[in-house]
Amino acid sequence: MTYFTSDLHFGHANIMKFHPNFRQFQNINEMDNTLIRLWNSRVNPCDEVYNLGDVSFHKDFEQTLKILKRLNGKHVLILGNHDQEIRKRADELLAMRKNDNNALFEEICDYKELALKHGGESFRLALFHYPVCEWNGGHHGAIHLYGHIHANVAKIKGKALNVGYDLHGKILEFGEILDFVKDLPPYSHGGNQFGENEDEGVRAQKIKGFLRLINK
């Protein structure tokens, strides 16, 4: 099985106030242990998990290590903006093993493209911590998975989904992701929004007007 998640924020006290829907916990310890239990109730040691970043806020990195060692599965991390310590220690962490005898991380990267088979079909995925408005293969139906914005959904055209814990309250299996995006049309490039043969001044004014509109 292949699973996806993002923004677990182990050890982050304020996340319980910012996003209380799936974080009704009395303290950090209860939150951490519940998230580990939820992960391991779905994920077996032979499964793959693509984690799209912002793993832990524990100031003591040993606490983060203890948590990572308890998580089942072949864990691939796409780095988030709060994963600086993991980035710095990447070589060291990739050499470690965890309780289920898998590597602590199979891979640590900033961005990943993935080919996945499910139900006899093949799918292309573009994985990034942040939502982006266009991604490789999007106009051919490739799926963009992202995190970062917690319980929100980005205003993106095409087959894209936030896999963050605070939106779903669980680690998502790929079939569940497919249920969300399968009926969405692929990203469409459309035509040239500003015209190819316009006067340079007219074109510049159109672009400025468009930028003001989307930044209101």
Side-chain angles (χ1 to χ4, degrees):
M1 303 287 281
T2 307
Y3 294 91
F4 299 83
T5 193
S6 187
D7 300 278
L8 292 170
H9 282 234
F10 288 106
H12 187 191
N14 284 335
I15 198 71
M16 292 183 276
K17 293 187 289 185
F18 299 153
H19 297 287
N21 196 28
F22 298 113
R23 298 188 189 260
Q24 296 290 318
F25 307 115
Q26 296 299 312
N27 51 55
I28 286 173
N29 188 57
E30 182 185 350
M31 179 178 73
D32 286 357
N33 282 313
T34 301
L35 290 174
I36 293 168
R37 187 171 65 251
L38 287 171
W39 178 301
N40 289 340
S41 69
R42 301 210 83 183
V43 180
N44 292 313
C46 59
D47 295 330
E48 293 180 313
V49 184
Y50 292 87
N51 185 346
L52 274 63
D54 284 5
V55 176
S56 174
F57 275 58
H58 279 291
K59 293 181 181 178
D60 179 0
F61 194 72
E62 287 302 313
Q63 293 299 316
T64 298
L65 265 182
K66 288 177 182 177
I67 290 167
L68 290 170
K69 287 179 179 180
R70 293 172 61 189
L71 299 174
N72 285 345
K74 298 174 182 179
H75 190 174
V76 176
L77 178 64
I78 290 84
L79 291 159
N81 52 303
H82 292 292
D83 294 322
Q84 296 94 333
E85 192 66 23
I86 291 177
R87 181 188 293 277
K88 285 192 293 186
R89 298 178 181 230
D91 290 342
E92 171 192 351
L93 299 177
L94 287 165
M96 292 183 180
R97 304 201 78 78
K98 52 192 176 71
N99 297 357
D100 67 356
N101 206 36
N102 283 310
L104 190 73
F105 291 112
E106 302 292 321
E107 185 178 357
I108 298 171
C109 55
D110 288 295
Y111 169 83
K112 187 169 182 65
E113 293 185 10
L114 183 66
L116 192 65
K117 288 192 175 181
H118 180 86
E121 294 185 70
S122 297
F123 299 90
R124 293 174 61 192
L125 290 82
L127 313 180
F128 193 43
H129 179 66
Y130 306 96
V132 294
C133 63
E134 187 172 353
W135 56 97
N136 188 25
H139 59 296
H140 291 304
I143 300 167
H144 171 38
L145 301 181
Y146 60 91
H148 188 63
I149 58 175
H150 292 273
N152 300 300
V153 176
K155 295 179 180 178
I156 299 173
K157 292 182 178 180
K159 296 180 182 293
L161 182 68
N162 174 11
V163 296
Y165 171 78
D166 292 305
L167 182 61
H168 303 280
K170 61 181 177 179
I171 313 297
L172 293 172
E173 192 269 322
F174 181 68
E176 295 169 321
I177 289 169
L178 202 56
D179 285 341
F180 282 105
V181 304
K182 65 183 178 182
D183 296 325
L184 296 175
Y187 175 86
S188 175
H189 286 294
N192 186 335
Q193 192 165 13
F194 301 104
E196 294 179 350
N197 300 307
E198 288 179 328
D199 173 83
E200 184 177 342
V202 172
R203 184 181 179 84
Q205 288 304 312
K206 278 190 175 182
I207 294 171
K208 288 177 183 178
F210 176 74
L211 293 174
R212 282 195 296 268
L213 180 65
I214 64 174
N215 283 287
K216 279 186 177 179

